[in-house]
Amino acid sequence: MTSRPLVSVFGQQGELGGNTRMPAVFRSPIRPDVVNFVHTNMAKNKRQPYAVSRKAGHQTSAESWGTGRAVARIPRVRGGGTHRSGQGAFGNMCRGGRMFAPTKTWRRWHRRINRNQRRYATVSALAASALPSLVMARGHRIDNLQEVPLVVMDTVEKISKTKEAVSVLKNLGVYADVEKVKDTRKIRAGKGKMRNRRVRWRRGPLIIYNEDSGITRAFRNIPGVDLIGVDALNLLQLAPGGHMGRLCIWTQSAFQKLDSIYGTTRQFSTVKKGYRLPRPKMVNTDLSRIINSDEIQRVLRPAKTPRRSIRQKKNPLKNLNVMLRLNPYAKAHRRKALLEEMKRKAERANKFDAKRV
């Protein structure tokens, strides 16, 4: 979230035209988990029901031959004189048969989402759009932008020509993002090519306005540029794909209207009954900085040092020093055993020498 008190307002030529106060909605907590969950369920609400035909795979006369003919008991097509006669039918393993578990139109296509959860996701996406790091991470080209969020004067709402709209985007330094969108134009894979969705491309800047005095006609034909009214902000536009940080261009009146729409952490919204902005769980989310601060480290006890080191266990049958610690008599016993062995060897040698003589 961002906490700057003032935001610059720019004109159509890119010149500085004044300042405006940062709305409280941009200080809302950023919750990627809530945004992703709400976006996933909202995207399901645009689906149209589909199903295979109720008669598909069963539009033939077929009956099983029964047992005793050394063939499977699957229903087989009647008749003769053609390849089709005698072939298996109806089953999902058969050529020309129905699918397994044929799809029905009464599937649960849509999802209900809690109203407060939808609002939480929207304000999180708005707060993320004011952070240059998240906007860049989403892939937008903002190297030439003077400030994020980008606020322009209300005169932009009266533009009605696409040529003037392109000029405004170039003066503001946003047109590099439009060029990026043009470079990503691809032919769609699959049958969408035949369903009025032939091409696909990335998302460009989102222009948020207060009153449509021709702005939609001017910007609607520029690749990647989307427009939306500030009274109808939609998470599917603010965070396409569930990824926060879309590049937003605000008109000044739309930007100043956010406090009345969403309220603050202390004041209720004047549009949404009984709604206040969510409070962040932590004022400072830099946890490592908090832990390593002098105030915290001063009251912590010193770290405990290990009292003893773990010894390596050694075999006393192979290590004499360990054996002596366990049995001090082991040295004398081993010496006595060696002397007796030497004595036996000497007696045995003398016995063999006496026999040779």
Side-chain angles (χ1 to χ4, degrees):
M1 58 185 164
T2 182
S3 60
R4 283 176 295 164
L6 294 176
V7 180
S8 302
V9 180
F10 299 95
Q12 296 186 28
Q13 303 301 322
E15 76 281 3
L16 184 63
N19 295 319
T20 184
R21 191 168 59 86
M22 174 74 79
V25 69
F26 291 102
R27 293 191 293 272
S28 301
I30 297 175
R31 292 287 302 273
D33 53 339
V34 176
V35 171
N36 189 39
F37 173 81
V38 174
H39 182 279
T40 301
N41 287 284
M42 282 184 66
K44 293 178 181 178
N45 293 334
K46 292 197 301 182
R47 296 187 294 178
Q48 291 185 355
Y50 67 88
V52 296
S53 172
R54 184 180 58 85
K55 299 181 290 185
H58 282 268
Q59 293 176 303
T60 183
S61 174
E63 188 178 359
S64 173
W65 288 356
T67 59
R69 300 185 63 172
V71 292
R73 288 176 288 184
I74 193 77
R76 297 180 181 276
V77 179
R78 294 172 176 272
T82 176
H83 287 89
R84 184 59 175 145
S85 59
Q87 289 183 353
F90 298 166
N92 62 319
M93 75 291 291
C94 299
R95 176 180 176 272
R98 52 152 176 80
M99 64 177 290
F100 167 75
T103 52
K104 305 295 182 183
T105 55
W106 55 80
R107 188 186 304 183
R108 191 168 72 98
W109 299 100
H110 302 89
R111 299 291 186 272
R112 181 190 171 278
I113 314 162
N114 294 340
R115 179 184 300 168
N116 197 48
Q117 210 168 12
R118 291 199 308 267
R119 291 174 177 173
Y120 203 137
T122 303
V123 298
S124 289
L126 286 173
S129 69
L131 294 178
S133 56
L134 293 180
V135 176
M136 292 180 66
R138 207 185 171 281
H140 292 288
R141 305 290 189 263
I142 61 172
D143 299 335
N144 299 326
L145 262 67
Q146 301 186 46
E147 195 171 312
V148 173
L150 184 61
V151 184
V152 296
M153 293 181 178
D154 289 337
T155 54
V156 176
E157 294 181 350
K158 299 178 181 179
I159 296 176
S160 59
K161 295 292 184 181
T162 304
K163 184 177 180 180
E164 299 176 15
V166 171
S167 176
V168 170
L169 293 179
K170 289 182 178 178
N171 293 334
L172 295 173
V174 189
Y175 201 71
D177 202 47
V178 177
E179 295 287 351
K180 183 259 304 186
V181 172
K182 289 182 179 179
D183 295 337
T184 60
R185 186 177 184 273
K186 296 282 192 307
I187 301 295
R188 184 183 300 274
K191 292 198 174 183
K193 287 191 293 290
M194 299 180 281
R195 296 172 181 168
N196 203 25
R197 303 189 296 267
R198 186 164 187 79
V199 296
R200 64 174 182 86
W201 42 40
R202 300 281 179 85
R203 295 293 185 100
L206 176 66
I207 300 176
I208 303 173
Y209 58 88
N210 184 27
E211 291 185 5
D212 182 11
S213 301
I215 186 173
T216 55
R217 290 177 58 86
F219 286 90
R220 66 185 180 183
N221 203 33
I222 301 176
V225 176
D226 294 322
L227 298 102
I228 192 170
V230 69
D231 296 310
L233 291 176
N234 187 0
L235 183 68
L236 300 177
Q237 299 283 1
L238 292 171
H243 306 296
M244 297 183 297
R246 182 154 193 192
L247 175 59
C248 296
I249 303 173
W250 300 81
T251 62
Q252 187 174 359
S253 58
F255 196 71
Q256 293 171 346
K257 201 174 180 181
L258 287 174
D259 275 342
S260 62
I261 294 176
Y262 292 101
T264 66
T265 54
R266 297 184 179 181
Q267 295 179 352
F268 288 101
S269 166
T270 59
V271 177
K272 306 176 189 299
K273 183 179 178 181
Y275 180 73
R276 262 194 312 210
L277 287 176
R279 291 177 179 269
K281 300 295 183 184
M282 299 176 63
V283 177
N284 183 6
T285 55
D286 193 351
L287 189 59
S288 60
R289 182 178 177 183
I290 294 174
I291 294 175
N292 295 322
S293 63
D294 295 335
E295 293 83 356
I296 299 295
Q297 294 295 325
R298 194 183 301 122
V299 296
L300 292 178
R301 60 167 177 76
K304 290 183 178 180
T305 56
R307 296 183 178 179
R308 62 181 183 85
S309 59
I310 300 175
R311 288 185 176 181
Q312 182 183 2
K313 185 176 180 181
K314 296 182 179 180
N315 190 354
L317 298 178
K318 297 181 179 180
N319 193 314
L320 182 59
N321 292 328
V322 177
M323 176 62 82
L324 291 177
R325 284 201 299 269
L326 297 175
N327 182 15
Y329 181 70
K331 188 174 183 180
H333 180 72
R334 180 172 292 188
R335 181 179 177 82
K336 182 178 179 181
L338 290 174
L339 291 174
E340 289 180 357
E341 186 177 357
M342 291 173 62
K343 183 178 179 181
R344 284 196 303 271
K345 286 184 178 180
E347 290 177 355
R348 190 175 181 185
N350 294 333
K351 186 176 180 181
F352 280 114
D353 289 342
K355 286 185 177 181
R356 289 192 186 99
V357 174

